[in-house]
Amino acid sequence: MSWLDQVFSGASSKRTMIAPAEALPGRPTPVPLAASNVVLGHPMRGDDPESAAGIGTFDGYQVVVLAGGCFWGVEEIFWQVPGVYTTAVGYAGGFTPNPSYEEVCTARTGHTESTLVVFDPQVIDLEGVLKVFWETHDPTQEMQQGNDVGTQYRSAIYTVGDDDAQLARDSAQRFGAVVAEAGLGAIATEIASLEQAGDGRFYYAEDYHQQYLAKNPNGYRCHASTGLQYPA
């Protein structure tokens, strides 16, 4: 997907977060969304999404929103993790309501490409999900992953609730010690509860982005991993 970086403003300006007052206006209407994840067969949107940061509630399941670069490849990783009930891609941490992909690519919405991960805590806990997250991208890269440059590629963890946000910060400290021992830079991952990130909502991406690599197996993947393992 990095070809769109060539179309709009230069890479240096795309690394700078937009101020809320300068963000694109967006629109009041969300994009149409298929009923179910085409790989896992479960709904991508929970019940009563308007009261739950645009995601809805999934009874019996836990939710986290993760950003680790191009969301096509991130989603593909997590739909293969045992215990994951459903996944979806979208935009979070920004200020433009219901942005389009093209708008996000301008770095004028403040969003990062994100993956909704809904999982069964009886099978895998949040730390187990975060272990996969830390090991499959490079959280030391600020405002980029590999050749993909810009605020839309920043690393982020958006939790549902402050307790999960603290657990995520603790996991970042644990992985940060591993990263430091390897001589790499500090963890640059943004960590917050979803309600406190940007305008507090997750916006589902256009349907053609959902489970993109299942629909297009030879599609683009970017995994700028450090090659390091999260400590047991």
Side-chain angles (χ1 to χ4, degrees):
M1 293 197 302
S2 58
W3 65 270
L4 275 167
D5 290 334
Q6 313 295 324
V7 177
F8 298 105
S9 59
S12 60
S13 63
K14 293 189 72 177
R15 290 177 178 271
T16 304
M17 275 292 290
I18 193 79
E22 298 174 351
L24 296 174
R27 57 201 51 81
T29 306
V31 300
L33 185 70
S36 300
N37 180 299
V38 300
V39 176
L40 299 174
H42 298 140
M44 291 184 284
R45 196 192 303 272
D47 297 328
D48 196 17
E50 289 307 310
S51 64
I55 295 169
T57 57
F58 293 84
D59 289 344
Y61 296 93
Q62 197 167 346
V63 174
V64 67
V65 174
L66 303 173
C70 172
F71 54 15
W72 293 344
V74 175
E75 186 187 22
E76 181 187 41
I77 288 169
F78 281 98
W79 77 51
Q80 299 177 73
V81 174
V84 170
Y85 173 75
T86 196
T87 60
V89 296
Y91 315 113
F95 312 106
T96 297
N98 299 298
S100 69
Y101 174 67
E102 288 75 17
E103 288 171 337
V104 172
C105 287
T106 67
R108 295 180 60 204
T109 73
H111 292 95
T112 183
E113 293 189 21
S114 302
T115 298
L116 170 69
V117 180
V118 182
F119 58 98
D120 183 346
Q122 300 301 314
V123 180
I124 185 171
D125 61 10
L126 178 57
E127 189 170 17
V129 171
L130 293 177
K131 177 183 188 297
V132 177
F133 172 75
W134 294 122
E135 292 180 353
T136 53
H137 80 299
D138 185 350
T140 71
Q141 294 190 18
E142 190 170 2
M143 301 302 181
Q144 75 176 88
Q145 281 295 299
N147 292 326
D148 293 337
V149 177
T151 57
Q152 80 189 77
Y153 299 115
R154 71 187 185 273
S155 174
I157 302 170
Y158 301 129
T159 64
V160 178
D162 292 337
D163 289 346
D164 283 356
Q166 186 57 53
L167 189 152
R169 293 186 191 100
D170 292 344
S171 75
Q173 286 189 327
R174 284 192 284 276
F175 193 62
V178 174
V179 167
E181 186 175 354
L184 301 180
I187 298 289
T189 304
E190 176 186 348
I191 301 175
S193 65
L194 181 59
E195 295 85 351
Q196 296 174 342
D199 66 359
R201 295 183 69 82
F202 174 86
Y203 297 101
Y204 287 86
E206 297 85 342
D207 190 61
Y208 75 91
H209 288 299
Q210 305 297 338
Q211 298 87 63
Y212 181 88
L213 292 173
K215 302 168 185 174
N216 303 274
N218 296 320
Y220 175 79
R221 292 167 175 83
C222 174
H223 301 306
S225 170
T226 62
L228 301 173
Q229 291 189 325
Y230 184 83

